[in-house]
């Protein structure tokens, strides 16, 4: 017998003069107009156009059209992110994790004027900061597409090739393994190290791979064949902590390689004839990080080194001459990032990953990408330390005075040691990860605190940015990988699946790779 559907409930009918008739709700008040000043986040606080009066319920897309019209970019519109900085009087000194700006995701009325704390009213001049966004968008990963076995011990480092076609992982089993990202299958096993592989680094055209490890040796590999390029580069007396290739826009044919070590030295190698070029010996304790930047007066850029002697040193990469010693940290300096890291790492390859036809073309494309980023703010540096703080530096910009460099600002808020810091590819933001289980966001041009990202329940080891600078991914001791929404500063996607601590993570195109103590490589995608 079929189930009978009950008849609809009868609605009581009220007449005009019925005393029991419920009151008619008042009509909604129209959204007020507001006075808006668009400001360029990319060039400090430069106004974009004139101060204008607009309806506060203008949608975010309408604001984008208006900002492009004010900037005379109607023919080639730029995608923007909009935010409003909170006034200093609104800052709560007892709440260090509170955001310092409000992001406009819907409209000024909904996101700014209707905020429960009423930071602004319709009578204020609303200063809207415009941050240019990439013209392409990376899709956030939502699932694990592959779990790759092969390593016999914990995976300690992972790095995508500049084009994103190959992945290199280093492990405690003394091996480097290459993985094909198109098929998500093993490609080659690179054997030769006699100790844990602690770092892997791709040359910016993907023609060579360098690895360093606990055996104090640096090895070079041909990623196409999986064969070593000659014998190991020997000279360090303790384990190798970090590697950095000379930028392609400086040397497109045979870039040199710098290696830092626990033995307190940095060695620069000529990879063409496999000889030692020079040794940097000024540090008095372990050199934890080396970065090869494109700034400075010399034709070969500069080397940045961070050490457990509590200093950051900057060297002329031509001859290894010491330029500056940055002494403001109170404990070991364990991490460094440059606002040019992404363009230096990927060289001539943009989001289309088109292969240059020659070294000259590769150099031209890489130089164009580098200048597009560094010409507006110069090359900026952030150093992180076990003293729970970070320092923001502009060594060749506005804070250089003679032979001394003063930090632009000190970044405070973490309650424990800083594990990792990374600039976004566009240089607009920086993120730091700490043993206090939090991630902190900073303005990439001023160093001002933006927001804290909370969700991990154990120390955060590593961070990676998407190429469009819209997504941040983190790896933690709590065995999870997390993707963060940088509009709301909240968790976007939780990627569980690892069964133990996750030590490394990297992001290329729309793929994320992670590895850790469970000996598994996981590939995540949309």
């Amino acid at each position: 017998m079929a189930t009978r559907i009950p008849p609809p409930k009868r609605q009581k009918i009220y007449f005009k003069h019925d005393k029991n008739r419920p009151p008619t709700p008042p009509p909604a008040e129209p959204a007020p107009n507001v006075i808006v000043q668009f400001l360029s986040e990319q060039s400090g606080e430069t106004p974009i156009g004139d101060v204008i009066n607009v309806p506060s319920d203008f949608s975010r897309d309408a604001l984008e059209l208006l900002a492009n019209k004010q900037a005379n970019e109607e023919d080639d519109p730029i995608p923007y992110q909009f935010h409003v900085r909170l006034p200093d009087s609104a800052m709560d000194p007892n709440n260090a994790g509170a955001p310092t700006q409000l992001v406009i995701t819907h409209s000024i009325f909904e996101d700014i004027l209707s905020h429960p704390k009423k930071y602004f009213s319709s009578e204020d001049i609303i200063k809207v900061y415009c941050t240019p966004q990439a013209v392409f968008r990376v899709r956030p990963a939502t699932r694990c597409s592959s779990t790759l076995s092969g390593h016999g011990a914990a995976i300690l480092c992972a790095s995508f090739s500049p084009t994103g076609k190959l992945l290199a992982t280093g492990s405690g089993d003394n091996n480097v393994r290459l993985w094909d990202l198109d098929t998500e299958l093993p490609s080659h096993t690179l054997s030769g190290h006699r100790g844990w592989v602690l770092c892997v680094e791709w040359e910016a055209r993907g023609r060579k791979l360098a690895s360093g490890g606990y055996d104090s040796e640096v090895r070079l590999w041909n990623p196409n064949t999986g064969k070593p390029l000659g014998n190991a580069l020997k000279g360090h007396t303790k384990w190798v902590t970090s590697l950095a290739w000379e930028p392609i826009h400086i040397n497109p044919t045979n870039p040199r390689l710098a290696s830092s070590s626990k033995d307190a030295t940095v060695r620069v190698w000529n990879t063409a004839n496999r000889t030692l070029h020079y040794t940097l010996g000024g540090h008095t304790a372990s050199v934890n990080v080396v970065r090869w930047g494109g700034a400075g007066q010399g034709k070969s850029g500069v080397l940045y080194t961070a050490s457990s002697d509590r200093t950051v040193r900057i060297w002329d990469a031509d001859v290894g001459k010491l330029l500056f010693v940055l002494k403001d940290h109170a404990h070991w300096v364990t991490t460094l990032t440059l606002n040019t890291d992404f363009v230096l790492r990927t060289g001539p390859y943009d989001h289309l990953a088109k292969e240059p036809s020659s070294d000259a073309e590769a150099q031209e494309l890489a130089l164009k990408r580098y200048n597009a980023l560094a010409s507006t703010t110069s090359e900026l540096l952030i150093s992180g330390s076990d003293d729970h703080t970070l320092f923001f530096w502009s060594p060749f910009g506005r804070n250089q005075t003679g032979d001394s460099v003063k930090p632009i600002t000190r970044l405070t808020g973490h309650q424990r040691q800083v594990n990792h810091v990374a600039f976004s590819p566009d240089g607009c933001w920086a993120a730091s990860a700490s043993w206090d289980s939090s991630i902190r966001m900073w303005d990439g041009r001023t160093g001002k605190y933006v927001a804290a990202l909370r969700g991990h329940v154990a120390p955060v080891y590593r961070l990676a940015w998407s190429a469009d600078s819209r997504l941040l991914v983190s790896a933690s001791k709590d065995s999870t990988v997390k993707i963060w929404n940088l509009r709301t500063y909240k968790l976007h996607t939780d990627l569980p699946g690892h069964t133990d601590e996750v030590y490394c993570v990297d992001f290329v195109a729309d793929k994320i790779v992670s590895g850790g103590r469970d000996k598994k490589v996981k590939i995540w995608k949309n």
Side-chain angles (χ1 to χ4, degrees):
M1 180 177 177
T3 303
R4 296 185 63 185
I5 299 174
K9 185 177 179 181
R10 296 181 64 183
Q11 300 293 323
K12 184 174 181 180
I13 299 175
Y14 294 98
F15 294 97
K16 185 175 181 180
H17 299 291
D18 192 338
K19 293 182 179 180
N20 296 321
R21 182 186 181 194
T24 304
E29 294 185 8
N33 279 19
V34 289
I35 299 174
V36 169
Q37 172 69 75
F38 290 111
L39 299 171
S40 172
E41 181 78 14
Q42 197 168 23
S43 54
E45 298 195 7
T46 306
I48 300 176
D50 299 323
V51 177
I52 53 174
N53 192 317
V54 299
S56 61
D57 58 355
F58 255 24
S59 68
R60 202 207 70 84
D61 291 340
L63 289 175
E64 188 170 88
L65 291 173
L66 189 57
N68 276 287
K69 185 175 181 179
Q70 290 279 87
N72 296 317
E73 298 284 356
E74 293 174 278
D75 295 334
D76 189 14
I78 298 172
Y80 285 113
Q81 182 193 49
F82 300 106
H83 68 268
V84 175
R85 294 178 183 172
L86 298 182
D88 293 338
S89 58
M91 302 302 176
D92 183 359
N94 299 318
N95 187 3
T100 60
Q101 60 188 35
L102 301 176
V103 179
I104 300 175
T105 57
H106 298 94
S107 68
I108 292 176
F109 179 77
E110 190 171 342
D111 299 311
I112 308 300
L113 300 184
S114 299
H115 195 278
K117 294 191 177 180
K118 302 295 182 185
Y119 294 118
F120 298 93
S121 72
S122 59
E123 297 179 359
D124 295 321
I125 297 178
I126 309 295
K127 294 183 177 181
V128 178
Y129 289 84
C130 307
T131 306
Q133 300 285 281
V135 295
F136 61 98
R137 184 179 291 275
V138 173
R139 295 181 299 172
T142 56
R143 61 188 176 90
C144 179
S145 62
S146 295
T147 299
L148 307 177
S149 302
H151 280 298
I155 298 166
L156 305 176
C157 52
S159 179
F160 283 113
S161 65
T163 58
K165 294 180 180 179
L166 290 173
L167 166 71
T169 55
S171 168
D173 64 6
N174 305 350
N175 291 328
V176 177
R177 292 181 71 95
L178 295 179
W179 313 85
D180 188 319
L181 268 295
D182 291 330
T183 61
E184 299 186 3
L185 293 172
S187 175
H188 297 98
T189 300
L190 314 182
S191 300
H193 281 288
R194 295 173 289 110
W196 299 350
V197 180
L198 302 176
C199 47
V200 291
E201 199 72 27
W202 291 88
E203 181 247 11
R205 289 196 66 188
R207 299 170 296 189
K208 297 176 183 176
L209 175 70
S211 60
Y214 209 77
D215 57 5
S216 308
E217 296 176 352
V218 176
R219 289 182 175 269
L220 300 177
W221 311 90
N222 182 334
N224 295 321
T225 63
K227 302 295 183 182
L229 296 172
N231 296 322
L233 306 178
K234 299 181 180 180
H236 287 297
T237 58
K238 293 185 179 179
W239 63 83
V240 177
T241 57
S242 177
L243 299 166
W245 286 92
E246 187 174 13
I248 287 294
H249 74 267
I250 294 174
N251 185 351
T253 306
N254 287 301
R256 293 172 292 168
L257 176 70
S259 59
S260 63
S261 172
K262 179 74 172 178
D263 65 11
T265 68
V266 174
R267 291 176 177 262
V268 176
W269 310 90
N270 185 324
T271 59
N273 56 23
R274 310 182 55 73
T275 58
L276 178 66
H277 192 186
Y278 55 77
T279 301
L280 307 179
H283 285 290
T284 58
S286 170
V287 183
N288 301 314
V289 188
V290 60
R291 289 280 186 274
W292 203 315
Q297 303 300 318
K299 62 181 180 180
S300 298
V302 293
L303 287 164
Y304 303 87
T305 57
S307 170
S308 293
D309 65 8
R310 301 181 295 178
T311 69
V312 176
R313 291 174 182 255
I314 304 174
W315 315 77
D316 185 327
D318 280 335
V319 293
K321 176 186 175 183
L322 180 64
L323 299 177
F324 306 112
V325 181
L326 315 181
K327 300 180 178 179
D328 290 71
H329 280 292
H331 210 294
W332 301 345
V333 187
T334 55
T335 181
L336 287 180
T337 184
L338 305 175
N339 63 334
T340 55
D341 272 345
F342 182 78
V343 294
L344 293 176
R345 173 185 173 182
T346 54
Y349 302 106
D350 58 11
H351 62 285
L352 301 175
K354 182 182 177 182
E355 185 67 37
S357 59
S358 64
D359 287 343
E361 184 184 358
Q363 184 176 25
E364 182 183 353
L365 292 172
L367 182 61
K368 182 180 179 180
R369 295 184 70 217
Y370 178 84
N371 287 338
L373 182 61
S375 59
T376 55
T377 60
S378 77
E379 196 164 71
L380 303 176
L381 169 72
I382 296 179
S383 56
S385 169
D386 279 5
D387 64 9
H388 307 181
T389 70
L390 305 103
F391 276 99
F392 189 89
W393 312 87
S394 179
F396 301 97
R398 54 189 182 275
N399 276 48
Q400 179 186 353
T401 306
D403 294 333
S404 65
V405 176
K406 297 294 182 184
I408 296 174
T409 187
R410 184 172 181 242
L411 314 184
T412 60
H414 283 299
Q415 304 301 308
R416 295 187 66 187
Q417 297 97 316
V418 177
N419 279 328
H420 190 218
V421 60
F423 265 106
S424 62
D426 61 9
C428 292
W429 313 103
S432 57
S434 168
W435 279 83
D436 64 9
S437 308
S438 76
I439 300 162
R440 286 183 170 256
M441 296 289 300
W442 315 90
D443 187 301
R445 293 184 173 85
T446 64
K448 291 183 178 179
Y449 169 73
V450 175
L453 311 181
R454 301 188 185 277
H456 285 293
V457 294
V460 185
Y461 290 143
R462 195 78 182 173
L463 302 169
W465 287 87
S466 62
D468 64 356
S469 302
R470 292 184 174 99
L471 299 172
L472 178 70
V473 61
S474 57
S476 169
K477 185 179 179 179
D478 65 11
S479 78
T480 69
V481 176
K482 297 184 188 296
I483 302 175
W484 301 91
N485 185 329
L486 301 185
R487 286 190 172 183
T488 62
Y489 308 118
K490 295 187 182 298
L491 181 65
H492 184 284
T493 309
D494 198 359
L495 303 176
H498 284 286
T499 57
D500 212 327
E501 303 178 30
V502 186
Y503 293 140
C504 51
V505 67
D506 202 6
F507 207 144
V508 69
D510 59 353
K511 290 186 177 182
I512 296 170
V513 64
S514 57
R517 197 170 178 178
D518 62 5
K519 311 174 191 176
K520 298 289 192 292
V521 174
K522 286 187 176 287
I523 298 174
W524 313 83
K525 63 183 181 182
N526 189 275

